[in-house]
Amino acid sequence: MAAPTPSGTQQGFAAPPPWKAALEYRAVGERVQMSALMPLLRRLPRGDGHPVVVLPGFTAGDGSTSPLRKLLRDLGYRTYGWGSGVNVGPTPAILDGLVRRLDRAYERDGQPVSLIGWSLGGIYARELARAYPRRVRQVITLGSPIQMTGDDRSNASAVWARLRRFHSPNFHRDVRDAHRPRLTVPATSIYSTTDGVVNWRSSLIRSTPHSENIQVYGSHCGLGFNASAIYAIADRLAQPAGTWEPFRAPWFLRSAFPRPHELDPDRLPI
């Protein structure tokens, strides 16, 4: 059963408090832990070889997603980075590159593509799924502020503001995702309530027969290395094509997955 989401009374989402931002140092430990657990992680469910594109977060590039992509290759998937350099936001070149990357993966492998997006990369992934649902198998997001609009704040807002002049005017986020038509492909949002970069409530999506929230313990900057997040990713990707069931952690791992929160669109911040 999902936990209720507290009602927001502020005008828009606020950035996480300083104490949460300070906890982002945990990302280093999460990366070290991923390396230490690699022999076990390579024993996660094997894939069916379908293509997986991994999109990095804001101000990051393919180097940040390389460990995850390498592990997914070891599990049997054909993986792709995004190939657009540093993610400085939705510039015209980046938006065009996203479509080209999806087209290349789809046409090369001849089957729908799973999209994994970290933070801002998850927002891109969901927009690709809206625009090209027949080419997308599922979307998995990691700490992505899916519900954010232009008036909200995160601890990356200052950098975003400096780069905004380079962003495409066609990339609008003036309506919360919960008030837009639902995705027609399966979607999973993995988040942490101690996220130090974005407000964790902004990462929640509506639970439906084909979408869910999964809560893990960890930092924002370490979600792509987080062992619990990786377990959930592997579990989601391993589902046979055309099927989808909600995530259920085995009994011996349930303590690593706190009860997820439920999004109530009517209680989102104004």
Side-chain angles (χ1 to χ4, degrees), residues 23-236:
L23 289 177
E24 284 300 307
Y25 75 87
R26 291 173 297 168
V28 176
E30 288 167 300
R31 178 66 183 91
V32 172
Q33 184 186 57
M34 180 184 180
S35 295
L37 293 176
M38 196 58 72
L40 291 176
L41 296 175
R42 290 196 179 102
R43 299 177 66 181
L44 290 171
R46 301 286 300 178
D48 59 3
H50 80 266
V52 179
V53 173
V54 187
L55 307 175
F58 184 47
T59 73
D62 281 332
S64 66
T65 66
S66 178
L68 177 59
R69 287 184 285 114
K70 183 178 186 305
L71 173 61
L72 294 179
R73 282 197 301 272
D74 292 343
L75 294 177
Y77 300 97
R78 185 187 291 275
T79 64
Y80 298 84
W82 83 325
S84 293
V86 176
N87 185 356
V88 295
T91 65
I94 281 177
L95 296 179
D96 289 345
L98 288 166
V99 177
R100 288 197 302 271
R101 180 61 68 179
L102 176 61
D103 287 347
R104 178 188 175 192
Y106 177 81
E107 292 167 1
R108 179 177 179 180
D109 295 278
Q111 56 183 314
V113 180
S114 286
L115 299 175
I116 301 175
W118 193 345
S119 195
L120 177 58
I123 292 175
Y124 295 153
R126 289 178 65 87
E127 293 304 321
L128 285 171
R130 288 184 192 281
Y132 307 99
R134 294 185 179 180
R135 298 196 167 205
V136 177
R137 177 162 166 166
Q138 68 174 308
V139 175
I140 302 171
T141 57
L142 304 174
S144 298
I146 296 161
Q147 303 301 336
M148 280 187 70
T149 61
D151 294 330
D152 298 320
R153 294 292 177 265
S154 75
N155 282 326
S157 290
V159 179
W160 180 272
R162 287 197 292 270
L163 295 171
R164 184 178 295 163
R165 65 183 185 275
F166 301 113
H167 298 167
S168 171
N170 297 321
F171 192 84
H172 299 294
R173 292 196 61 80
D174 51 3
V175 177
R176 298 206 186 281
D177 191 90
H179 300 306
R180 301 174 65 193
R182 299 179 182 182
L183 295 187
T184 58
V185 303
T188 298
S189 175
I190 300 174
Y191 71 99
S192 168
T193 58
T194 55
D195 191 309
V197 178
V198 304
N199 190 309
W200 66 268
R201 294 176 180 84
S202 71
S203 296
L204 299 179
I205 59 177
R206 291 171 293 180
S207 296
T208 72
H210 295 94
S211 63
E212 63 185 341
N213 298 297
I214 299 176
Q215 184 183 173
V216 299
Y217 296 110
S219 67
H220 180 92
C221 296
L223 277 174
F225 316 127
N226 183 289
S228 297
I230 291 171
Y231 182 93
I233 290 169
D235 179 87
R236 304 291 77 201

